[in-house]
Amino acid sequence: MARRPRHLSAEDKALWKKVADSTDRLHPVRPLADLPAMNPAPPKKRQPKARQPAFQLGQNAKPNALPHDLSPSLSNSVASQPVSMDRKTFGKMKKGRLSPESRIDLHGMTIAQAHPVLNRFILDAAAADRRLVLVITGKGKHRDDGGPIPVRHGVLRHQVPHWLNSMPLKQHVLQISEAHLKHGGQGAYYVYLRRRR
């Protein structure tokens, strides 16, 4: 079977012209005078791109409100207590400018020994109408035995603020604060007592 030629024959061309002449144009050709004047807009000047500031990963991240350590440090927990005494006197006390009227050294005692000794000392100081006393606990030794539960060092240092904020001592204690370095620093507490009524 012979292939058909790909070109239109003269007869096909004549037939197509006859059909095309008998049709109306869908969009008639308009004269150039009817066309709106084409004023090309001037090319816009390219604005130089603003330089992006240097980016650092996490620069817009908000700091986490709750740190992973849910238990605040002892220093923070004692320092965060509201000031119940005269602020000027409190400032002098924190700077070590007030001399304690009495002091007790619990360093080296066990909890069982230290608790009754502290109770007696504070009650006696309150009865003698003393205002500022110093309780020395020592900083404690780090004795973590590597077990699954971490062990706090300075057991007395952690326990004394709890005892001072519990009865029967609570009614006599007005303020507890870490001592200034010259009076023992983190290993001692200033205890400011209420006036006797």
Side-chain angles (χ1 to χ4, degrees), residues 117-172:
V117 171
L118 177 68
N119 283 351
R120 176 58 32 218
F121 171 72
I122 296 295
L123 293 173
D124 287 348
D129 208 19
R130 294 192 177 112
R131 296 306 305 276
L132 180 63
V133 296
L134 183 69
V135 178
I136 301 167
T137 61
K139 292 181 184 177
K141 292 182 181 174
H142 188 65
R143 293 188 191 141
D144 195 352
D145 59 0
I149 299 172
V151 178
R152 284 182 165 168
H153 65 284
V155 178
L156 284 179
R157 189 170 153 251
H158 283 83
Q159 199 62 41
V160 164
H162 172 67
W163 289 336
L164 292 170
N165 283 316
S166 304
M167 292 303 280
L169 304 182
K170 182 178 182 174
Q171 60 191 348
H172 301 291

Side-chain angles (χ1 to χ4, degrees), residues 6 12 16 28 32 44 50 64-65 69 85 89 99 106 118 122 138 144-145 150-151 158 170 185:
R6 291 182 181 260
D12 290 339
W16 179 252
L32 288 175
K44 289 183 181 175
N64 193 359
D69 183 11
M85 58 188 284
T89 309
S99 296
L106 305 175
L118 177 68
I122 296 295
D144 195 352
D145 59 0
V151 178
H158 283 83
K170 182 178 182 174

Side-chain angles (χ1 to χ4, degrees), residues 4 19 31 104 145 155 167 182:
R4 289 178 122 192
V19 170
I104 186 171
D145 59 0
V155 178
M167 292 303 280
K182 74 179 187 181

Side-chain angles (χ1 to χ4, degrees), residues 33-195:
D34 292 349
L35 292 175
M38 304 245 328
N39 291 331
K44 289 183 181 175
K45 289 184 179 176
R46 290 185 64 153
Q47 295 291 334
K49 280 190 176 179
R51 288 193 56 83
Q52 293 289 337
F55 175 76
Q56 247 184 342
L57 188 63
Q59 70 183 16
N60 294 333
K62 292 186 174 101
N64 193 359
L66 295 174
H68 295 297
D69 183 11
L70 299 179
S71 173
S73 72
L74 185 61
S75 299
N76 289 344
S77 119
V78 170
S80 67
Q81 291 179 353
V83 178
S84 304
M85 58 188 284
D86 176 58
R87 287 198 174 270
K88 192 173 180 182
T89 309
F90 179 74
K92 287 182 181 178
M93 179 180 79
K94 285 289 289 175
K95 292 174 183 171
R97 293 186 187 151
L98 297 180
S99 296
E101 299 168 53
S102 184
R103 68 182 63 218
I104 186 171
D105 191 351
L106 305 175
H107 188 251
M109 294 185 188
T110 64
I111 288 181
Q113 295 168 330
H115 193 189
V117 171
L118 177 68
N119 283 351
R120 176 58 32 218
F121 171 72
I122 296 295
L123 293 173
D124 287 348
D129 208 19
R130 294 192 177 112
R131 296 306 305 276
L132 180 63
V133 296
L134 183 69
V135 178
I136 301 167
T137 61
K139 292 181 184 177
K141 292 182 181 174
H142 188 65
R143 293 188 191 141
D144 195 352
D145 59 0
I149 299 172
V151 178
R152 284 182 165 168
H153 65 284
V155 178
L156 284 179
R157 189 170 153 251
H158 283 83
Q159 199 62 41
V160 164
H162 172 67
W163 289 336
L164 292 170
N165 283 316
S166 304
M167 292 303 280
L169 304 182
K170 182 178 182 174
Q171 60 191 348
H172 301 291
V173 174
L174 185 62
Q175 190 78 45
I176 306 164
S177 174
E178 266 188 8
H180 188 268
L181 281 174
K182 74 179 187 181
H183 291 132
Q186 292 182 346
Y189 291 106
Y190 292 130
V191 182
Y192 201 78
L193 301 174
R194 298 180 191 277
R195 284 194 192 280

